Each structure stands twice: as structure tokens, then as C-alpha cells.
Amino acid sequence: MGAFLMELWAFMRERKKFWLLPIILVLLLFGALLVLTEGSAVAPFIYTLF
């Protein structure tokens, strides 16, 4: 996983595609939110945000 992140960062730095970073971070955040709400007691509180 660390090698993938280093390669992704090198790609973004080399090709000047820093605009990809916020998109990737938002996708990771939504993915983590989905995993956390899958069967948790926190799910009703997170659903109220949307």
C-alpha cells in the first residue's frame, strides 16, 4: 500500500496533476464513511448528515 501511495504521489508531482489530490481524498472519505456505517450504531447519526 505504501508503494502505491508513493507511486501515486510521484505521478501527480511529475505530471503536475495536484488537482487529483482533493478528488482522491473525498473518495477515500466517502469510502470510509460507507464502511463505518455498514453495521454500526453510529449509522443513524451519519445518515442525518445527508
Side-chain angles (χ1 to χ4, degrees):
M1 184 68 170
F4 172 73
L5 292 176
M6 293 299 291
E7 188 173 337
L8 181 64
W9 176 250
F11 169 77
M12 289 191 308
R13 191 178 63 218
E14 180 74 27
R15 307 226 188 235
K16 306 289 189 244
K17 297 202 181 280
F18 294 112
W19 56 269
L20 287 174
L21 189 61
I23 296 170
I24 293 171
L25 289 176
V26 167
L27 287 174
L28 287 174
L29 181 67
F30 277 128
L33 193 63
L34 285 174
V35 168
L36 287 175
T37 60
E38 193 60 33
S40 139
V42 182
F45 301 110
I46 293 177
Y47 289 139
T48 60
L49 293 176
F50 299 104

